[in-house]
Amino acid sequence: MSAVTDQDDLTSSPGARGGHQPGRTVTGWRRRIPGHGNIHVVFATLALGAGSYTVLQSMVMPALPVIQHDINASQGTVAWLLTAFLLSASIATPILGRLGDLYGKRGMLLVVFGALSLGSLISGLTDSVCVLIAARVIQGLAGAVFPLSFGIIRDEFPVNRVPWAVGVMSAMMGIGSGLGIVLAGPIVDALDWHWLFWFPLMISGAAVLATLLFIPESPVRAQGTVNLPAAATLSLWLLALLVGLSKGASWGWTAPGTLGLFAGAVVGFALWAWVESRSPVPLIDLRMMKIPAVWWTNVAAILLGFGMYAGFLVVPPLLQTPREVGYGMGASVTVSGLYMLPSTVAMLVVSLLIGRVNARFGSKGPLVAGSVITGAAYFLLVADHHDPWAFIVMGIVQGTGIALAFSSMTNLIIGAVRPDQTGVATGMNANIRTIGGTLGAQIVASLLASGTLPSGYPRESSYTISMAVLGVATVAAAVACLLVPVARAARSGGPAGGAPGGPATNASATASGQPATAAVTATPATGDLPAPAAG
């Protein structure tokens, strides 16, 4: 079969693509497929897979009691359906992101979409809790969809479209999670819990086929190999930390097992840092993590993850509490999910407008504003959680804040690192959000369990304190955001912030102490991408 150069591709005008590499070849049969390499088709493919993953992340949460009863499992065992998924995603995301940087993002994207499809297929077929947990581990490998997608966007999209595309993909983390909560009740009521996996399987299967047909090969490759000792030690401390966080509420935070896991996490982290610092080919370059824009954005990420994911453990149960208890709305699982719909819609609307927002304000301003707005949503429920309108307004405000923050956060990370570091840098950022969410969920679970009524429901004050804690965490994220330094593009129009389109990123060079090109003004650090075109 004949091969054609990328210069003949249909995606955009010559030179418009950020990751263009002269001489890159595309096999003739895929080149002739309508839509191959078209940025709109590529983006739709990435969004399909990311949506399937994030929906699966949250969809099982409202259905855990139903699954527990149906497969005759204990509450502690069935909780591993969430824990196993988060553990797998946390360990796989930076490793598979690095593999994508090294060997090709399209190939690794096929692997993660395939894993998501396989795990969903097994989950839909089984009634065994052990097999279901194993399937959730397989599904969790798809957490790498985000760093791989960000890398493909940076490689393939025109420079002025990167912030918009990255922003919408980042918001998919919140949109998909919210949509999963909304859809779980109707699906379980109308069909059964197995369909919680059949529907995402259809979407991820379509994403596999679309990736094969429409997404070009990666033009940007990192040098080196996979550092296996670093991967092993990274897995060790993440495993110890997340298991300790997930079991602390049930075992007791001062129980020997919990303290032992936390001690293991500390030792494992130190060992991992030692291995990475002495490796000529680190899995995660710790110097990159010390870049001020990367560091402070990751601090904000853990606090925002704390606020968003833990919110799913507060709002739906509060809505479902019977009014006879003295508070709550007495809503069903389905109705409580519908109360979350305004949040999901707000995330979608804001993410579609993020290009114009970034064009006007850059990425740092929306990150700060989004953190403050998210905190305000929780404080609103502290003041009033007895009226339906409060939950509806809270959802709109929270969705707006999360979309602004998540959409802007990844743009700051991408703008601070070299193109060949995109996968691992954004993978760690997504990972840190997951760790923050796990930490927040366990703290909230402990607060709700600390004081219960004779009926078994948490005291109203426990919900109030939990919402106040989430509000404080997200406002603290805003403080971290204020410390993110930003580089600005000069009027000459050169790319800044590590956007694709030029040789090694200017902003990341500034931040890491490397010589910067004339396209960036002499500002003290790094972080922002060039302003995109409207939309």
Side-chain angles (χ1 to χ4, degrees):
M1 253 180 262
S2 63
V4 295
T5 66
D6 192 52
Q7 292 169 326
D8 297 324
D9 203 79
L10 298 171
T11 57
S12 58
S13 60
R17 280 237 303 265
H20 174 74
Q21 296 273 314
R24 184 159 57 103
T25 60
V26 181
T27 55
W29 71 270
R30 281 203 301 120
R31 168 63 178 78
R32 291 193 295 269
I33 295 173
H36 172 76
N38 181 281
I39 62 170
H40 303 293
V41 178
V42 168
F43 183 81
T45 300
L46 299 176
L48 271 179
S52 181
Y53 167 77
T54 52
V55 163
L56 275 170
Q57 185 179 50
S58 64
M59 192 179 274
V60 299
M61 292 170 61
L64 285 179
V66 176
I67 297 173
Q68 177 185 346
H69 178 269
D70 197 34
I71 62 180
N72 195 28
S74 67
Q75 184 175 0
T77 300
V78 81
W80 273 91
L81 296 180
L82 180 60
T83 303
F85 185 93
L86 294 176
L87 283 171
S88 174
S90 297
I91 292 170
T93 296
I95 294 174
L96 296 182
R98 172 64 173 170
L99 287 171
D101 287 341
L102 289 171
Y103 302 117
K105 303 174 187 72
R106 174 180 172 272
M108 290 310 303
L109 200 64
L110 285 169
V111 170
V112 300
F113 286 164
L116 189 62
S117 301
L118 177 61
S120 299
L121 176 64
I122 295 172
S123 299
L125 293 173
T126 189
D127 286 314
S128 165
V129 67
C130 294
V131 175
L132 195 56
I133 290 171
R136 292 288 283 172
V137 171
I138 297 172
Q139 290 170 5
L141 299 177
V145 63
F146 285 103
L148 293 171
S149 296
F150 297 142
I152 289 170
I153 289 169
R154 188 175 193 174
D155 292 347
E156 299 297 330
F157 283 41
V159 172
N160 66 338
R161 299 298 291 171
V162 170
W164 175 86
V166 168
V168 177
M169 281 297 300
S170 299
M172 286 297 298
M173 297 180 188
I175 294 170
S177 296
L179 196 59
I181 297 291
V182 172
L183 295 176
I187 290 174
V188 173
D189 290 343
L191 301 165
D192 67 45
W193 62 265
H194 292 88
W195 283 90
L196 299 175
F197 303 103
W198 289 122
F199 284 122
L201 171 60
M202 298 175 196
I203 300 173
S204 62
V208 171
L209 181 60
T211 300
L212 186 63
L213 296 178
F214 302 125
I215 293 185
E217 300 290 350
S218 304
V220 177
R221 302 288 176 90
Q223 299 297 315
T225 60
V226 178
N227 189 327
L228 294 180
T233 51
L234 174 67
S235 302
L236 173 67
W237 76 262
L238 282 175
L239 180 66
L241 175 64
L242 292 178
V243 172
L245 290 173
S246 65
K247 305 303 292 184
S250 57
W251 291 354
W253 293 106
T254 58
T258 306
L259 295 178
L261 285 169
F262 288 150
V266 172
V267 173
F269 180 86
L271 181 60
W272 168 72
W274 183 83
V275 170
E276 292 281 38
S277 64
R278 284 159 176 76
S279 172
V281 283
L283 178 67
I284 298 172
D285 190 342
L286 295 181
R287 292 172 299 176
M288 172 189 69
M289 303 303 288
K290 293 178 182 178
I291 295 172
V294 175
W295 170 258
W296 288 113
T297 303
N298 282 335
V299 171
I302 197 168
L303 293 167
L304 284 167
F306 185 114
M308 191 197 82
Y309 292 114
F312 292 135
L313 295 183
V314 174
V315 178
L318 179 57
L319 286 163
Q320 294 167 26
T321 302
R323 291 183 181 274
E324 294 77 22
V325 174
Y327 65 94
M329 302 295 296
S332 65
V333 174
T334 298
V335 172
S336 66
L338 291 175
Y339 271 102
M340 304 295 290
L341 187 57
S343 176
T344 304
V345 172
M347 289 183 200
L348 178 59
V349 171
V350 172
S351 67
L352 293 175
L353 298 174
I354 197 65
R356 295 179 181 179
V357 173
N358 282 338
R360 177 66 178 85
F361 301 104
S363 295
K364 177 177 175 178
L367 179 56
V368 174
S371 302
V372 173
I373 291 170
T374 304
Y378 288 119
F379 288 125
L380 171 62
L381 281 191
V382 171
D384 185 352
H385 48 266
H386 298 94
D387 298 308
W389 70 265
F391 288 94
I392 294 171
V393 173
M394 178 269 181
I396 296 172
V397 174
Q398 183 209 39
T400 300
I402 289 293
L404 282 171
F406 276 24
S407 298
S408 304
M409 186 182 302
T410 307
N411 276 321
L412 287 170
I413 291 290
I414 288 178
V417 301
R418 300 191 311 267
D420 63 320
Q421 295 176 321
T422 299
V424 68
T426 56
M428 282 305 296
N429 181 256
N431 220 16
I432 286 168
R433 290 183 231 187
T434 300
I435 293 172
T438 305
L439 177 62
Q442 299 312 314
I443 290 177
V444 164
S446 297
L447 288 171
L448 295 179
S450 63
T452 57
L453 300 169
S455 60
Y457 288 95
R459 297 182 185 277
E460 183 178 4
S461 59
S462 298
Y463 277 111
T464 303
I465 293 171
S466 296
M467 290 181 290
V469 168
L470 297 181
V472 169
T474 50
V475 171
V479 176
C481 299
L482 289 171
L483 297 173
V484 176
V486 178
R488 299 183 181 276
R491 291 187 178 182
S492 61
T505 64
N506 295 312
S508 59
T510 305
S512 59
Q514 300 169 3
T517 69
V520 177
T521 58
T523 51
T526 171
D528 222 352
L529 284 163

